[in-house]
Every structure is written in C-alpha cells, then in structure tokens.
Amino acid sequence: MLIRFRNSSDVVPSEITDRAVYLRRRDFLAGTAALGAAVALPFNAVASPLSAAKSPLSTDETLTPLKDVTTYNNFYEFGTDKDDPAKYAHTLTTKPWKVKVDGLVDKPADYDLDDLIKDIALEERIYRMRCVEGWSMVIPWIGVPLASVLSRVSPQSSAKYVAFETLVRPAEMPGQKGFFQALPWPYVEGLRLDEAMHPLTILAVGLYGETLPNQNGAPIRLVVPWKYGFKSIKSIVRISLTEKQPKTSWSLQNPREYGFYSNVNPAVDHPRWSQATERRIGEGGGLFVKRRPTLPFNGYAEQVAGLYAGMDLKANY
Amino acid sequence: MTATRARQRDPLSRLVLGVDPARRALYVLGMAPAVLYFSWGLTDQLGADPQNVLERALGLWALRFLIAGLAITPLRQLGGPNLIRFRRALGLLAFYYATLHLSVYLLLDKGLDLSSIVADIIKRPYITVGMLAFAVLIPLAATSNNTMIRRLGARWRKLHRLAYLAAAAAALHFIMLVKVWPLEPLIYAALVAALLMYRLANSLRPRTRAVRP
C-alpha cells in the first residue's frame, strides 16, 4: 500500500463505518469496474483509506460532494475539458513515485514519496478552493505541512523560493501529446519560502479519507488555499529551493493575466473577467445557483495577509 | 377574414406553424438542443457547474446556426444543393439561441444585477463583443419575414450583410473567454473566417448577374 501512516490514537475508517459495509465497498468498486464503468467512477480504483487527525485550520463549511471534486477538474496534462482528467487520469502510474529535491538544500536526493513524508502526521485540512475561473469548492484534503517536508531536507539560508514541477509523461498524459497542447510542459509553480513555510500550506496525498484520485493530482500535490487553484500544482516530481523567483506556468503563458503571487483577491480582476464573486460547486440550486462574494485571500486573510504587508497587491497580482 | 387567411398574413403564426413541412421540422429539431439542455439542467444532469454548461451550450448553438445560415449561399454556388428555403429558419434559430444564451447570463448568472451587468459590458471586452453580436441580430430577426423583405426591397440585402458582423463577433466572443488555445473555438473562428473570405472574394470578382446570390 502506498501511504498508510497511522497513529494509534487515530480513528481508523473501519471504526467509523460498519465493517461489513466497509468491506463491501471494494466489491462494489470491483464489480462496477468489471462492467467497464471504472472511468466514470468518482473513486480512484486504487484508492486506499488514509487516517488523519482533524485540524483546527479546517473550515466547517459544507463539503463539495466527492463526485464534483473528482469529476470537475483543471489538469491540462489530461486535456482542457473539465471532465478530461476524470476520463483519462486513471491510467497514470503513481507507484513507484520519486520526488527530486534539489537546489539550495543540505539534503538533496531523489526521495521515494513514502520516505519524503514518513513519520509526519497526516492531517485532514478542509479548505476552500477558489479557481481563477470564478468557481469554488470546499475539499477535505489529507496531507502534511509543506514546512515539515522542507525542514526535513534542510533549506540553506540563501534559499528564498520553492519551485515545483509536475510529471511529464506523454504516454500516460494525453494532454502532453499531439498538435494542440495547452501549455508548455512540465507545469511549473513556485512560492516564496515564507509562503511555503506557512502552516496553511500543505502537500496533500489524499482527500475524503482516501489517497488522492489521479485526476486530483496523485500521488502528491500542493494545496495553498489562499491562492487561485492553479498555484496548487499537482503530481509533483520535483521540489527545488532557489534564490531567484521561479517561473510559473500560467505567468509564462500569459504574463499580463497571471502573476507569480495569484492571491485570491476580489478587488483585483482578471483582465477579462471579474473576480468579485464565485459559484460554489455542488451546493445545490442546479441551474439557479447564486454567486457568492469572493473573500480577500479566499477567507484566509487573518492568517496570511501579514505575509504581504506593505506590498501593492494590484501590482503583485 | 378567414382564419387561414389570417394565419398566412400573420408572420408570427406562419413562423411558428410554418407552411413547409421540412422547414417546420428544422424549427422543431433546431430547438431540440435547447429543450434537452434545459431539461438536463433541471434534472441535475449537467455536471458540477450546470449553469455554466447551459450558458455555453446555448451560445455555441447560436454560433452553429449562424455559421449554417452563412454557408447556404456558398454551398449552392459551389455546386452543392440549394437550401435557400432553410436560411431564414437557420438565422432565426441563431437569434433564438442567442436570446436564450443572453437570458441565462442576465437572469441566472448575473441574477439581473444591473450594475454588475453594465460593468461587465463596459469593462469586459468579451462581453462587449458578445452584446454587439446580439444587438446586430435583433434587426435581422425583426426583418426576417416576407413583409419586411418586400418593404425594404434592395435595402434588405444590405441590412442582412450584418449577419457577417454578427458571426465574426460571436466567434471572437468565444475565443476571448477561453484560457488557452483549445481547438474548438479556433475551428469555429476558422469556419466564420472562411465564409467571410468567400464573400469578400466574390465581391471583388467582376460581377455578372449569374453569380449574384
């Protein structure tokens, strides 16, 4: 099994769900897969249960249903339609998985994923996720603080930024093949070191109590809840500590529309559309769903606004 | 005046009921996507963001019917079948879809928040361009009946060249709202460009009565 760390005090899924029902879940998955419907399933066929401690940093807002979280995704490595990742990501091999850690660190290495996060307690973090396109979700992530992982590899004092890279594997990622490719690969992202070390910033390995579905960035992805979703890079294969501000995919693609910071900010519009409001996915209402106001730093201003004290947030979009 | 005579004279009922079974079928089939999308939307079958899916589908069908309408003349001139009797229906279907598309935006998406709508029209070029496309279609739809064709005479055809502007604006509107360069909006833009270039090439050619549409 890929990642299954458990503290003795933690509640295991088998204690929550009736054991018989819990065991049948597999049969249901296997049975449906046999009917050839595996692709349409919201679950990853290889999902394993994860147990994680609850966190005071979680929101108590209503969760976006699992089905929406796993079928409405932007993961251009698998195609630009929202349902492409759910359709095509199931073939991605996520085991074994190495993460190269390099740059200004004392312990650079090609880490096996399990070793990179070994013995760091998994936490459930229920975060709002705001997409730059004007929609949002509430997702129960499971992961570890990025700070804990970075401490493990000992950043040097000259390190100012953290750069991230997504897997490039055209054989398993149809969006990386063919004539029309949405972005140059690999997808790259970055954070200032203090943003990366902030307690809200996590590396997620699961959601909804199980390992990450491939379409959500398995086996390990970044989650930075006060920034637009595209900052939260998926399927990470490289983490580099740098002195210079790293390049980021969307600002490379269109520097006028996407900046390095990309903090959620209702007062700074995308050049083509307003960021003042958002549609909360899956909250019901169907066709008649109402937009809600977008909050500065996606509602995390109290915790993170200090990181940007004195900065012009319009200029540093 | 008999009922039959009244129906013949009234463009609205003629439009709704039609006289030609093929044209009536086109109206019915043409409205089917709208009926389907609305019913899927009301029964939660449009995925995670149903309002957005509906809004985009309606806009896309408006563009498709605009393109189909513009393809009628080149099709005939290039040796294809003469489908001229369907052109009005295609144009009107484009207008109906544009109206539905706009209504979803105004009523469902914006909740009739006038200040936000006005801000959109002024500040968002893709909304401005979309509104332009719709505004252009209004006089075209209003004059898509025999009475107006008779009344306007030669001016009718000049007026209806605005369909080129509407199609160009609609294709641009589509391209302007996507984040990257996916194939679909580019294909529609290429189709519109080809149809407009065909007209341009035709108009630059020395004219004889035979090639006039």
Side-chain angles (χ1 to χ4, degrees), chain B residues 17-28 84-89:
Chain B
L17 297 171
V19 279
D20 168 7
R23 263 182 293 194
R24 280 164 72 161
L26 177 56
Y27 280 115
V28 172
I84 191 77
R85 68 190 172 121
F86 296 113
R87 192 167 66 178
R88 180 189 296 172

Side-chain angles (χ1 to χ4, degrees), chain B residues 1-9 13:
Chain B
M1 193 185 291
T2 65
T4 317
R5 194 166 149 71
R7 193 159 64 222
Q8 277 167 359
R9 288 183 60 119
S13 57

Side-chain angles (χ1 to χ4, degrees), chain A residues 152-185:
Chain A
R152 169 162 291 179
V153 300
S154 306
Q156 295 165 1
S157 58
S158 53
K160 300 278 183 296
Y161 295 91
V162 188
F164 303 87
E165 245 180 65
T166 295
L167 178 72
V168 179
R169 194 182 285 160
E172 292 183 353
M173 295 176 138
Q176 292 179 338
K177 282 187 290 204
F179 188 63
F180 267 88
Q181 295 185 25
L183 294 167
W185 316 111

Side-chain angles (χ1 to χ4, degrees), chain A residues 76-77 164-168 175-177 179-189 233 247-254, chain B residues 179-181:
Chain A
Y76 283 9
E77 280 81 349
F164 303 87
E165 245 180 65
T166 295
L167 178 72
V168 179
Q176 292 179 338
K177 282 187 290 204
F179 188 63
F180 267 88
Q181 295 185 25
L183 294 167
W185 316 111
Y187 191 89
V188 287
E189 258 305 337
I233 185 170
K247 303 265 186 237
T248 61
S249 281
W250 280 100
S251 65
L252 284 169
Q253 199 259 355
N254 195 335
Chain B
K179 277 202 305 187
V180 287
W181 294 104

